[in-house]
Amino acid sequence: MKKQISIFFLATFAALLFACSKRQAEELKPTVPTDPNGPTPVTTANVTYTNFAGALFQTKCNNCHGPNGALKSIWLFNGLSSIKNDARVANSVLVTKTMPKGGTLTVSERELLQAWFDKGMPE
């Protein structure tokens, strides 16, 4: 019986450790597809939810905090309003850097996300 319990806890731990990190390590290459001659790079001056932040949250947060995620009861990502209505998001990602679990944000991603929050989270 003890062996079965130990195996159960070990399997549960392993599942939680790896469940949220499948796609989180992928770095986003932000671009704005409005220039007919090619994409315009996203900068801290033109960053928006549409051209950068939305894709970042979808890629880095949705696995755990999306509708089918294990951590949806803590915070449910369901678009821009879920970010604007919860100050914990910016704090967890930019200040304490406790999110995303099992993944990281690059320096560039953090700078763009910080600029997006500083600009009032434009769509």
Side-chain angles (χ1 to χ4, degrees), residues 2-108:
K2 267 189 168 182
K3 185 176 180 180
Q4 291 173 336
I5 292 172
S6 297
I7 291 172
F8 172 76
F9 282 120
L10 183 61
T12 302
F13 176 73
L16 288 173
L17 184 64
F18 296 106
C20 296
S21 63
K22 291 179 183 175
R23 291 182 12 191
Q24 290 177 348
E26 298 173 15
E27 181 179 358
L28 292 177
K29 305 279 193 256
T31 56
V32 180
T34 55
D35 184 2
N37 298 323
T40 303
V42 175
T43 65
T44 56
N46 69 1
V47 66
T48 65
Y49 182 81
T50 303
N51 69 10
F52 174 72
L56 180 101
F57 284 104
Q58 184 69 34
T59 303
K60 306 286 184 167
C61 306
N62 197 51
N63 286 343
C64 298
H65 294 285
N68 298 320
L71 301 175
K72 66 182 176 189
S73 62
I74 296 171
W75 173 69
L76 175 62
F77 170 67
N78 60 2
L80 180 59
S81 63
S82 65
I83 300 163
K84 284 190 171 190
N85 294 328
D86 198 333
R88 297 177 303 168
V89 176
N91 187 56
S92 296
V93 175
L94 298 171
V95 178
T96 64
K97 298 179 182 172
T98 55
M99 289 288 147
K101 292 259 189 227
T104 59
L105 297 179
T106 65
V107 172
S108 174

